[in-house]
Amino acid sequence: MTNRTLNQTNTFQMESNKKIIVPWDFTEVAENALAHAVKIAKAIENDITLLHIVKTDKEIDEAQKKLQQIAADNQTKTSISTDAKVLVGSIFTTIGEFTKDRDDINLVIMGTHGMKGMQKLTGSWALKVIVSSYVPFVVVQDAPQENSSFDKIVFPVDFKNENREKLVWAIYFGKIFNSKICFIKQDVRDSALLKKVNTNLSFAKKYLTKYGVEYEIADTAEGANFAQQTIDYAQKIEAGLMLIMTTKDIGTLDYVLGVSEQYIIANTSRIPVMCVNPRKSNNFSLGSLY
């Protein structure tokens, strides 16, 4: 996939004429995802592709006919170029395979059912889909409100090096939507880890300032549950988006026990979440800024 490197100027050019993928399962949450996709597509001048996964070849024709009608209706309603794609496979891997080696896809926007008493199933289900992707996911539960915006984006900062990989997306959304990036720091007591947290924060501040993106820093989260503290902070400031990294090299046991991003994805505050996979979301990079 072709990398796009932020150069050393103060101009951050946005890429238009790309696609936003919306996984489609003919449910209300898919419609909610499409509504978000329309909003973002208008801002970044992208097209939309509705993507439906079937189990067998004999299901393709009927599904394609239904999906093409939905795509046509959306294009008529919104004037955004919208097409339909039906693939045979598994939702856990096929979306990721579809985004691999494609430089014409910006984002995947997917609806999820959230907690609803079955977080381990819905949270891990969504995460299994997300970690297969080579482009970032935006996961939503509700349709966007009429006055909703991405004016505040919560950016949790921990000690992991992968923090820097989501910074380009903070700049990207910050420039498009005039967003303020709202940092919340992980509470760590180990001095070596605390140094890494502060280094990651300093790095982020440096390049947000360089590209003219506003930011603020919350108090350090208190307690061991950083995921919940992130959600609470996002709710408190009425954030429009939380921007997180997924766990690197996530395994089966992580799905069973529950990694922190599962809880953020399925947050009961129903705040949209952007998920970036370490070293997979490489259609944008900070390149020589590292």
Side-chain angles (χ1 to χ4, degrees), residues 61-283:
D61 288 345
E62 181 179 355
Q64 185 72 39
K65 183 177 179 180
K66 291 170 62 178
L67 197 60
Q68 282 179 335
Q69 185 60 58
I70 294 169
D73 291 344
N74 186 70
Q75 182 165 318
T76 299
K77 179 180 177 181
T78 66
S79 299
I80 296 171
S81 178
T82 308
D83 62 5
K85 184 73 174 178
V86 177
L87 297 175
V88 176
S90 165
I91 191 170
F92 298 121
T93 58
T94 304
I95 296 173
E97 292 167 357
F98 185 68
T99 64
K100 188 176 182 180
D101 298 326
R102 295 278 300 267
D103 61 3
D104 63 335
I105 298 174
N106 258 343
L107 295 168
V108 178
I109 302 182
M110 183 177 75
T112 181
H113 295 279
M115 299 280 285
K116 294 191 176 178
M118 298 181 67
Q119 195 280 332
K120 276 296 197 304
L121 293 177
T122 57
S124 61
W125 176 88
L127 188 57
K128 285 181 181 180
V129 178
I130 291 164
V131 297
S132 73
S133 176
Y134 283 74
V135 298
F137 260 70
V138 176
V139 184
V140 303
Q141 298 182 50
D142 298 327
Q145 299 297 314
E146 184 176 348
N147 59 348
S148 65
S149 68
F150 296 125
D151 60 335
K152 296 179 182 177
I153 298 175
V154 170
F155 188 120
V157 181
D158 60 21
F159 55 83
K160 298 176 183 177
N161 291 333
E162 291 80 21
N163 270 261
R164 299 183 180 188
E165 296 184 43
K166 64 183 178 183
L167 179 57
V168 67
W169 290 99
I171 297 171
Y172 185 67
F173 271 62
K175 297 296 286 186
I176 292 170
F177 296 102
N178 196 28
S179 307
K180 176 187 287 186
I181 308 304
C182 303
F183 294 110
I184 180 169
K185 292 169 56 180
Q186 185 176 22
D187 183 14
V188 293
R189 304 305 167 90
D190 181 274
S191 59
L193 295 182
L194 179 60
K195 183 178 179 180
K196 290 184 177 181
V197 172
N198 289 330
T199 298
N200 285 337
L201 180 60
S202 295
F203 184 92
K205 289 163 53 181
K206 176 180 178 179
Y207 288 105
L208 289 180
T209 299
K210 180 180 181 65
Y211 289 100
V213 177
E214 188 179 0
Y215 67 85
E216 67 179 22
I217 304 171
D219 293 335
T220 301
E222 296 182 358
N225 193 339
F226 188 40
Q228 188 59 55
Q229 294 292 337
T230 299
I231 295 168
D232 291 345
Y233 173 58
Q235 184 177 25
K236 177 182 177 181
I237 66 171
E238 298 181 340
L241 186 72
M242 291 184 279
L243 176 56
I244 67 171
M245 297 294 300
T246 60
T247 298
K248 191 173 184 178
D249 301 322
I250 190 169
T252 302
L253 187 60
D254 293 309
Y255 293 123
V256 175
L257 298 177
V259 292
S260 62
E261 54 264 38
Q262 289 183 201
Y263 301 99
I264 294 179
I265 290 166
N267 70 90
T268 55
S269 300
R270 308 179 75 82
I271 299 169
V273 181
M274 185 175 192
C275 306
V276 180
N277 293 319
R279 297 303 178 191
K280 278 192 174 182
S281 302
N282 56 353
N283 56 338

Side-chain angles (χ1 to χ4, degrees), residues 21-38 48-52 67 70 74 109-113 125 140-144:
I21 308 302
V22 179
W24 195 268
D25 60 359
F26 300 96
T27 66
E28 182 179 353
V29 293
E31 294 175 0
N32 294 344
L34 178 56
H36 281 274
V38 167
I48 293 173
T49 294
L50 305 181
L51 177 62
H52 181 62
L67 197 60
I70 294 169
N74 186 70
I109 302 182
M110 183 177 75
T112 181
H113 295 279
W125 176 88
V140 303
Q141 298 182 50
D142 298 327

